[in-house]
Amino acid sequence: MRGRTRPVSAEVIAERFGTSVRTIYRDIATLQSIGAPIRGEGGLGYQVEDGYFLPPLAFDRDEMDAVVLGLRMVTARVIRRSGSQQSVCWARSAVRIRKALRASTGHFLQ
């Protein structure tokens, strides 16, 4: 939703992530309840408020080791439920971390 100038419907989001519209409604409501600046409602569409972004994070080597270890532990536990939303999320996170580390250090922590 970030970067869009117009609201995005739950149907479009659900199709993009391969889930149900009902799940999108629940997830958006949860995000809004914890303070995510998302405007809109079911039937009209959703949009992240202007100016909202996640700040870049910089980890030292020990912190990144901890992040990678935690990711591996959670992935090992979640992998049992292969195909779940969580396993997809963890896999995407691992890919992002791997890409970022390769770009900055030339390799991925083993």
Side-chain angles (χ1 to χ4, degrees):
M1 291 183 288
R2 283 188 291 157
R4 299 254 182 149
T5 58
R6 297 184 154 204
V8 180
S9 71
E11 290 81 12
V12 169
I13 298 169
E15 184 178 323
R16 165 72 171 84
F17 291 103
T19 190
S20 71
V21 171
R22 184 175 177 192
T23 297
I24 299 302
Y25 289 152
R26 280 194 312 258
D27 290 350
I28 294 289
T30 299
L31 289 168
Q32 288 172 326
S33 74
I34 61 173
I38 300 172
R39 293 189 300 226
E41 60 184 73
L44 299 176
Y46 299 99
Q47 188 172 9
V48 176
E49 291 181 17
D50 289 338
Y52 179 76
F53 64 93
L54 294 175
L57 301 174
F59 296 105
D60 66 25
R61 187 169 184 92
D62 290 337
E63 292 168 335
M64 186 50 68
D65 284 342
V67 169
V68 170
L69 176 61
L71 183 60
R72 286 181 178 163
M73 290 171 63
V74 171
T75 301
R77 183 178 182 137
V78 172
I79 204 77
R80 292 183 209 134
R81 292 180 278 162
S82 181
S84 71
Q85 184 66 23
Q86 291 137 335
S87 66
V88 171
C89 177
W90 294 118
R92 282 194 336 254
S93 299
V95 168
R96 279 186 195 215
I97 289 170
R98 190 174 296 122
K99 284 180 182 178
L101 288 174
R102 282 189 181 135
S104 66
T105 64
H107 68 282
F108 182 68
L109 298 175
Q110 295 300 323

